[in-house]
Amino acid sequence: MVLWINTIASKYSPSQSKWIMPQPLAVSMMNTSTPIADGQPVCSNQFLQEYLRKHHSYPDTFKWHKMEYFQINDCAIPKLTNLSACLKRLSLKKVVLIGDSQGNRYVRSFMGILRSQKYRCTERPSRPTPKVYSVINLKGINATRDKCSSCKEKNLHCVQAETKATLDFKYVELIVINGKLEAHQIDGNTTISTKTFLEFLFKIYFRSSFPDLILFEIPFNHVKRSSVEEFEIDLRSLMAALKSTMKPNTKIVLFPGLAEHESKRPKKAAAFFNKKYHGSLATEQIYKLTRAMWNVLEDDLVSETSNIMSHANFVNATKAATPIVIDGVHYKPQVYAHIMRTMLATMCFE
């Protein structure tokens, strides 16, 4: 049985290695500027910022409807009606999704949303050629020489059928956030050192065409091997590298983790059945790491001038989704489609 930490007004303190539990806040989340839909505040980024500021967490109770989609109990998810207009308003022409196998499934859901919004996408070859760029001594990641990601990369050029608006989309695979990168070469003769693969992405690989929007699915299913303290150190280092290189208007959307389901693990994954990570089963550890992500980034997430956002605690949402789990870790497509639509709709809400 997983014992969940009370999420109301609690905050993790690494120095004390415990969760601090202040007195509950008797403050309504609805103020005069909060948009309302069906009697509930809308799950706008403004609402989520206010919620995080008061509770040091995002909403974490949900209601599923026939295992097709979920509602957030504390706010109403806005509708995603015109993605093209949203991207134009926010000046988002280059989108990158970084993530593991969960991220790859989010890619498919993003492509489905684009198709529903009358975008037509064509795949472009991965760049660059070995003469232009090669990776050397990439440790901790399943990478091969002359690849600019951890083996997988996808590049798409998309055009909206009616407005002719264009969107360049890239997916880069990532399975750890602290994979060591000893060196890399540019133009075949210049060697520059970077500490991690992500630092390489932000400082080198994206520098000639930095994305306007980064959809970042932190690979919690792999990162769960780290302790909360180790993860927070790695995340701080990652964000420092990103902030030092990103464009002022680049938006970053951080995806919360998803639950794992012990009862649905296949026989070939028997070694992971009820396996504990730093004393916790997989789902509880992913829950703790997701909370730690918000703890590290809270100042950025609640800042009115920040372009960094996250969303509700989807660990809890997917914990109840056992009937639509495929292999203990991955879900049927409707889960990724609903979460992706939710994240984009919140980002686009005015």
Side-chain angles (χ1 to χ4, degrees):
M1 179 180 179
V2 176
L3 298 178
W4 299 107
I5 299 166
N6 184 356
T7 60
I8 300 300
S10 63
K11 187 172 183 179
Y12 188 76
S13 172
S15 61
Q16 300 181 43
S17 297
K18 66 180 183 180
W19 291 87
I20 300 173
M21 303 293 294
Q23 292 297 314
L25 299 173
V27 180
S28 171
M29 289 305 303
M30 298 170 61
N31 58 42
T32 55
S33 62
T34 302
I36 305 297
D38 298 326
Q40 279 189 305
V42 174
C43 294
S44 63
N45 192 45
Q46 177 191 1
F47 172 84
L48 293 172
Q49 286 179 320
E50 292 174 358
Y51 195 102
L52 179 62
R53 189 178 294 114
K54 293 174 181 177
H55 301 302
H56 306 297
S57 178
Y58 284 103
D60 62 358
T61 57
F62 308 83
K63 181 180 179 181
W64 278 90
H65 295 267
K66 298 181 180 180
M67 287 292 114
E68 290 295 327
Y69 67 95
F70 59 76
Q71 289 178 313
I72 301 172
N73 290 347
D74 292 286
C75 57
I77 299 171
K79 293 181 179 180
L80 182 64
T81 54
N82 191 331
L83 181 61
S84 178
C86 165
L87 297 177
K88 180 179 180 180
R89 173 171 55 85
L90 298 177
S91 300
L92 305 179
K93 293 184 178 181
K94 292 175 290 213
V95 178
V96 170
L97 193 152
I98 302 173
D100 58 5
S101 57
Q102 304 281 23
N104 195 23
R105 287 162 171 80
Y106 282 125
V107 170
R108 298 173 199 168
S109 67
F110 187 73
M111 292 298 100
I113 291 172
L114 288 181
R115 286 192 296 271
S116 72
Q117 300 275 320
K118 299 182 179 180
Y119 279 85
R120 299 294 179 264
C121 300
T122 56
E123 190 163 356
R124 291 182 169 178
S126 298
R127 71 164 179 99
T129 64
K131 290 184 179 180
V132 177
Y133 160 85
S134 63
V135 171
I136 303 175
N137 296 328
L138 185 55
K139 295 183 177 180
I141 299 178
N142 295 329
T144 57
R145 188 177 178 84
D146 300 330
K147 295 289 185 181
C148 44
S149 75
S150 55
C151 291
K152 293 182 181 178
E153 181 191 43
K154 182 186 290 288
N155 292 290
L156 296 168
H157 179 70
C158 305
V159 180
Q160 211 281 336
E162 297 172 350
T163 66
K164 306 304 178 184
T166 62
L167 177 70
D168 289 314
F169 177 80
K170 180 189 294 293
Y171 163 63
V172 178
E173 184 183 63
L174 177 79
I175 60 173
V176 291
I177 64 171
N178 62 347
K180 300 298 184 293
L181 179 64
E182 289 185 354
H184 64 265
Q185 291 182 345
I186 300 176
D187 298 327
N189 53 24
T190 303
T191 300
I192 302 175
S193 296
T194 52
K195 295 179 181 179
T196 68
F197 177 63
L198 279 170
E199 185 179 359
F200 154 74
L201 281 182
F202 300 144
K203 289 187 175 181
I204 305 300
Y205 185 57
F206 292 150
R207 70 176 181 178
S208 62
S209 182
F210 206 90
D212 304 311
L213 171 64
I214 299 175
L215 303 172
F216 197 174
E217 183 269 318
I218 290 180
F220 286 109
N221 299 108
H222 300 274
V223 177
K224 65 175 183 277
R225 298 178 177 88
S226 301
S227 68
V228 169
E229 292 78 10
E230 291 168 338
F231 172 70
E232 289 189 336
I233 291 171
D234 289 339
L235 185 59
R236 287 191 175 93
S237 177
L238 181 162
M239 294 306 297
L242 177 54
K243 288 180 180 179
S244 67
T245 57
M246 62 186 284
K247 297 190 304 182
N249 295 326
T250 294
K251 291 186 177 296
I252 303 173
V253 177
L254 296 162
F255 284 65
L258 305 179
E260 296 188 15
H261 295 255
E262 304 300 331
S263 65
K264 300 298 286 284
R265 295 193 191 278
K267 291 182 179 180
K268 64 180 181 180
F272 299 99
F273 181 72
N274 283 337
K275 181 179 175 64
K276 291 194 173 183
Y277 303 86
H278 302 278
S280 300
L281 290 173
T283 294
E284 185 179 7
Q285 182 68 357
I286 292 171
Y287 174 91
K288 289 179 179 179
L289 294 175
T290 298
R291 292 289 305 272
M293 175 179 73
W294 299 332
N295 180 52
V296 168
L297 301 176
E298 183 171 325
D299 288 346
D300 289 313
L301 290 168
V302 300
S303 171
E304 294 181 359
T305 60
S306 174
N307 285 327
I308 301 175
M309 63 168 285
S310 188
H311 216 289
N313 196 334
F314 299 144
V315 182
N316 276 9
T318 51
K319 181 174 178 281
T322 304
I324 50 176
V325 176
I326 296 174
D327 56 8
V329 175
H330 304 103
Y331 295 82
K332 292 184 177 180
Q334 63 261 36
V335 173
Y336 303 99
H338 182 57
I339 290 176
M340 178 60 75
R341 187 172 288 274
T342 295
M343 302 290 275
L344 293 176
T346 295
M347 180 188 74
C348 290
F349 183 81
E350 293 187 273

